[in-house]
């Protein structure tokens, strides 16, 4: 047998905790000396102690732990509960990490205000490109909304291109557009006290100006694309209009608002038109910290007599495993104000 101190050491708990478990009947000592009142435990009781601590870590109260143990929860059942809790904790950590990244991005934005050199921005024309792509819907235009959508899309797109035998011919290029205003696509506006007031406008009845900027109120279609060639696509037996054909044939046309076309290979293709005038800047580091870069770009656009003509594209020039070493060119279409 073990003294309460030794048993506490083996169980990695405090003696005070063991006394509490004894008092509430959750873990009784194997023997209590009637003269001294000293508690003694057996090694076999470590199994029950392990279950108590595990169930506590799952978020159960000590009262609930007692009920569960009385029902003699099996090892496989307890293992499943612990795995579920582990997944929940990992998700919470990931969410907390994402929020911390956004806080850091806001701080960097504040610290860098007014310190961006005009030499960092280049106004140029971009070329039209043929993309293989997958798309998804993000709740908004913030990095915290885009990231969880676009990252899995790129992973799956790379897998499908490899399966189809289509070799990328260039970097990844992401572009965005407003999602159709449908029940499925739109982000519901939170109900506010004024919305309940007789005569108050519903979110749908308000003007675009009253409802706020698009990035704050609309769902976004995320297009995750990778540059390919017509030749590589044709070798896979598909033309750029998505129909079977001979190598080298194509029926794709460049349009101002391109529509992705299914290929039958698990991804779409689209000819993304050139941008006649784009204000471009290079962002270094993870996309979760893109905010200072794009806001500095906004200041430059405003100060130099331009205005935005649509969502910026993201050309991923370098994407090594270490995201701190990522290099991304932001391409924002602009026109003279």
């Amino acid at each position: 047998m073990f003294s309460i101190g030794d048993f506490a050491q083996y169980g990695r708990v405090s003696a005070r905790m063991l006394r509490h478990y004894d008092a509430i009947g959750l873990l009784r000592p194997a023997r209590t000396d009637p003269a001294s009142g000293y508690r003694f435990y057996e090694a076999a009781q470590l199994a029950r102690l392990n279950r108590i601590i595990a169930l506590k870590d799952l978020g159960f109260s000590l009262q609930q732990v007692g009920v569960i143990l009385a029902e003699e929860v099996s090892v496989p059942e307890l293992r499943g509960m612990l795995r579920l809790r582990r997944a929940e904790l990992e998700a919470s950590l990931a969410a907390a990490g994402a929020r911390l990244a956004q806080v850091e991005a806001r701080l960097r934005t504040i610290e860098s205000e007014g310190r961006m050199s005009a030499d960092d921005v280049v106004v140029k024309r971009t070329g039209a490109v043929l993309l293989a792509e997958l798309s998804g819907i993000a709740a908004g235009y913030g990095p915290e909304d885009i990231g969880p959508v676009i990252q899995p899309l790129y992973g799956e797109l790379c897998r499908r291109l490899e399966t189809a035998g289509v070799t990328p011919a260039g970097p990844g290029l992401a572009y965005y557009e407003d999602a159709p205003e449908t029940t499925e696509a739109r982000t519901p506006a939170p109900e506010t006290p004024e919305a309940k007031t007789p005569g108050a406008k519903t979110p749908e009845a308000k003007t675009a100006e009253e409802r706020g900027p698009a990035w704050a109120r609309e769902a976004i279609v995320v297009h995750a694309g990778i540059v390919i060639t017509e030749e590589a696509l044709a070798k896979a037996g598909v033309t750029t209009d998505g129909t079977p054909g001979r190598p080298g044939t194509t029926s794709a046309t460049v349009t101002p608002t391109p529509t992705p076309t299914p290929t039958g290979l698990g991804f779409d293709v689209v000819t993304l038109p050139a941008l006649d005038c784009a204000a471009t800047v290079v962002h270094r580091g993870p996309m979760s910290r893109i905010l200072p870069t794009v806001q500095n770009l906004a200041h430059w656009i405003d100060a130099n007599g331009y205005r935005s003509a649509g969502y910026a594209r993201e050309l991923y020039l370098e994407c090594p495993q270490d995201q701190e070493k990522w290099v991304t060119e932001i391409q924002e279409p602009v026109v003279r104000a």
Side-chain angles (χ1 to χ4, degrees), residues 59-99:
F60 291 107
S61 67
L62 290 179
Q63 183 179 5
Q64 291 171 323
V65 169
V67 172
I68 293 172
L69 291 179
E71 296 176 353
E72 298 184 354
V73 60
S74 68
V75 171
E77 288 173 329
L78 184 58
R79 185 182 296 118
M81 295 166 71
L82 287 170
R83 284 176 174 167
L84 178 61
R85 180 58 174 162
R86 181 178 64 184
E88 292 173 347
L89 290 173
E90 288 173 348
S92 297
L93 285 173
R99 287 194 297 271

Side-chain angles (χ1 to χ4, degrees), residues 153-222:
L153 287 177
Y154 268 113
E156 183 63 17
L157 177 58
C158 290
R159 187 188 69 80
R160 295 186 184 186
L161 285 174
E162 184 178 2
T163 299
V166 177
T167 303
L173 193 158
Y175 66 102
Y176 306 92
E177 60 180 327
D178 290 330
E181 293 203 15
T182 64
T183 303
E184 294 80 14
R186 285 187 50 199
T187 305
E191 192 174 46
T192 58
E194 60 266 26
K196 299 179 181 179
T197 305
K201 292 183 180 180
T202 64
E204 290 76 12
K206 292 181 178 180
T207 66
E209 183 176 1
E210 290 171 325
R211 288 167 59 191
W215 61 264
R217 60 181 170 84
E218 300 288 352
I220 299 295
V221 180
V222 178

Side-chain angles (χ1 to χ4, degrees), residues 16-246:
R16 179 184 57 81
M17 183 179 293
L18 290 175
R19 294 188 189 98
H20 180 58
Y21 291 168
D22 180 16
I24 64 177
L26 195 57
L27 180 59
R28 299 286 193 188
R31 184 176 71 84
T32 303
D33 187 280
S36 64
Y38 289 169
R39 298 169 174 85
F40 295 92
Y41 296 82
E42 296 176 344
Q45 290 181 281
L46 287 170
R48 183 175 178 87
L49 177 60
N50 289 336
R51 284 162 171 74
I52 292 171
I53 301 303
L55 290 168
K56 266 188 58 182
D57 289 343
L58 285 171
F60 291 107
S61 67
L62 290 179
Q63 183 179 5
Q64 291 171 323
V65 169
V67 172
I68 293 172
L69 291 179
E71 296 176 353
E72 298 184 354
V73 60
S74 68
V75 171
E77 288 173 329
L78 184 58
R79 185 182 296 118
M81 295 166 71
L82 287 170
R83 284 176 174 167
L84 178 61
R85 180 58 174 162
R86 181 178 64 184
E88 292 173 347
L89 290 173
E90 288 173 348
S92 297
L93 285 173
R99 287 194 297 271
L100 178 60
Q102 294 312 306
V103 170
E104 291 177 346
R106 291 288 178 183
L107 180 59
R108 287 170 181 262
T109 302
I110 293 171
E111 292 174 341
S112 65
E113 286 176 353
R115 294 190 303 173
M116 185 177 183
S117 169
D119 295 336
D120 294 332
V121 177
V122 176
V123 177
K124 64 182 181 181
R125 185 181 191 277
T126 69
V129 289
L130 179 65
L131 297 178
E133 71 164 58
L134 292 177
S135 61
I137 301 292
Y141 195 45
E144 69 278 8
D145 298 313
I146 299 296
V149 175
I150 199 168
Q151 291 174 11
L153 287 177
Y154 268 113
E156 183 63 17
L157 177 58
C158 290
R159 187 188 69 80
R160 295 186 184 186
L161 285 174
E162 184 178 2
T163 299
V166 177
T167 303
L173 193 158
Y175 66 102
Y176 306 92
E177 60 180 327
D178 290 330
E181 293 203 15
T182 64
T183 303
E184 294 80 14
R186 285 187 50 199
T187 305
E191 192 174 46
T192 58
E194 60 266 26
K196 299 179 181 179
T197 305
K201 292 183 180 180
T202 64
E204 290 76 12
K206 292 181 178 180
T207 66
E209 183 176 1
E210 290 171 325
R211 288 167 59 191
W215 61 264
R217 60 181 170 84
E218 300 288 352
I220 299 295
V221 180
V222 178
H223 297 274
I226 294 178
V227 177
I228 59 173
T229 63
E230 294 176 355
E231 291 75 17
L233 195 60
K235 287 180 181 178
V238 178
T239 62
T240 49
D241 66 352
T243 60
R246 301 181 306 278

